[in-house]
Amino acid sequence: DIVMTQSPDSLAVSLGERATINCKSSQSILYSSNKKNYLSWYQQKPGQPPKLLIYWASTRESGVPDRFSGSGSGTDFTLTISSLQAEDVAVYFCQQYYSTPYTFGQGTKLEIK
Amino acid sequence: QITLKESGPTLVKPTQTLTLTCTVSGFSLSARGVGVGWIRQPPGKALEWLGIIFWDDDDRYRPSLKNRLTITKENSKNQVVLTMTNMDPVDTATYYCAHRREDMASYFDYWGQGTLVTVSS
C-alpha cells in the first residue's frame, strides 16, 4: 500500500496569512506515460462529508476559491491557502489514486491563531 | 446535479452483516468511466477507502477487507450496495459513498452525507 503522510497534524494560522500543508507519499505517484500526479486534496468541516478541492495535484475544482492551490510532484506535495479566511477552518486530507488501495493522509487540522 | 445518499442500519451487533445502500441521481451507473466508491471514517479519525465498483461491474477492494466486503450495483434502481460481513466494534464509522468523475482517475468529486454505523451488542 502507498502510505500518505501529512505534516503538520495541526496548524494555527492568523487570518489573512498563508497556510501550508504537506503530503508525502511512500512511493512516486507520478505516472510516467501521462506525466500526471495522481493526488487530490479534500476539505472536511465538522459534520460534513469531504469536499474536493484539488485533483491531479494542482487542478483546482470548479467553484473552489483561488486562494487554494496545490503543487508538487513525485512524492512531495503541498496545499497552500494564500490568505486564510475564517471559513477555511477545517481538516484537510490528501489522497493518492495512483493504485489501489487508494489511501488518504491522516489529516491536518487547520485553526485560526 | 449529481447526488448520492447512503441508507441502512445505524446499529449492528458484532458478527452481524452490514448492508448499506447508496442511491444516486444525476448520472448513470452504467455510463462508461463511472465509478462509485465507499469510504469510511471512524469518529475523529482519518478517511479509509474501502472499495469501488465501476460502470462495467469491475470492482476493487481494500485487501485487508477483501474477504468481508462485497460491492454490487443495480443500474435500473440507481443503487450501489455495500455488504460487509462479520462486523466488529472497530468497524464503527461514518460510511460514505462517493462519485468518481474520470475514467482511470479515482478522485471523488461528489460525496453522500454519510451514515454513522455503530457496532455494539
Side-chain angles (χ1 to χ4, degrees):
Chain A
D1 299 6
I2 298 176
V3 177
M4 307 300 289
T5 304
Q6 291 181 228
S7 61
D9 290 334
S10 63
L11 181 62
V13 174
S14 300
L15 290 173
E17 296 299 306
R18 178 184 300 259
T20 301
I21 298 170
N22 301 301
C23 176
K24 188 175 183 68
S25 57
S26 60
Q27 66 185 73
S28 177
I29 53 175
L30 171 63
Y31 195 39
S32 56
S33 65
N34 61 11
K35 294 185 172 43
K36 288 186 172 183
N37 288 284
Y38 282 59
L39 183 104
S40 55
W41 287 98
Y42 301 86
Q43 174 193 66
Q44 187 179 31
K45 297 182 178 180
Q48 296 184 19
K51 173 188 175 183
L52 177 67
L53 297 176
I54 302 284
Y55 55 98
W56 296 128
S58 61
T59 302
R60 193 181 307 112
E61 173 69 342
S62 175
V64 172
D66 60 8
R67 64 180 180 272
F68 289 90
S69 64
S71 63
S73 184
T75 61
D76 293 280
F77 302 90
T78 300
L79 175 70
T80 301
I81 307 172
S82 60
S83 177
L84 189 71
Q85 305 299 302
E87 61 265 33
D88 300 335
V89 169
V91 179
Y92 293 84
F93 294 95
C94 59
Q95 178 220 345
Q96 66 81 17
Y97 47 97
Y98 181 88
S99 66
T100 58
Y102 306 129
T103 46
F104 293 84
Q106 81 275 18
T108 295
K109 185 174 184 179
L110 178 58
E111 299 173 314
I112 305 293
K113 185 186 290 183
Chain B
Q1 179 189 359
I2 290 175
T3 65
L4 304 95
K5 185 174 183 179
E6 307 87 353
S7 58
T10 58
L11 179 66
V12 298
K13 290 181 168 48
T15 75
Q16 285 187 337
T17 294
L18 171 69
T19 300
L20 293 177
T21 300
C22 175
T23 303
V24 309
S25 65
F27 68 98
S28 170
L29 291 171
S30 60
R32 181 174 179 80
V34 164
V36 173
W38 286 92
I39 301 100
R40 70 180 178 182
Q41 186 173 37
K45 295 189 177 181
L47 299 163
E48 180 180 57
W49 177 82
L50 301 178
I52 190 168
I53 191 164
F54 301 110
W55 80 100
D56 58 356
D57 290 327
D58 192 15
D59 55 22
R60 298 286 186 274
Y61 297 101
R62 187 174 197 83
S64 61
L65 295 174
K66 189 173 175 59
N67 291 339
R68 299 174 53 208
L69 195 57
T70 305
I71 300 174
T72 60
K73 63 181 176 71
E74 190 156 355
N75 296 337
S76 62
K77 291 186 176 180
N78 295 315
Q79 291 181 336
V80 176
V81 177
L82 175 145
T83 304
M84 186 179 292
T85 62
N86 195 24
M87 293 291 284
D88 183 271
V90 300
D91 296 313
T92 294
T94 296
Y95 287 73
Y96 297 100
C97 59
H99 170 265
R100 177 187 90 155
R101 173 185 296 163
E102 287 188 53
D103 193 10
M104 305 301 288
S106 292
Y107 60 88
F108 300 104
D109 59 345
Y110 290 92
W111 295 62
Q113 282 298 308
T115 185
L116 175 61
V117 177
T118 301
V119 184
S120 174
S121 55

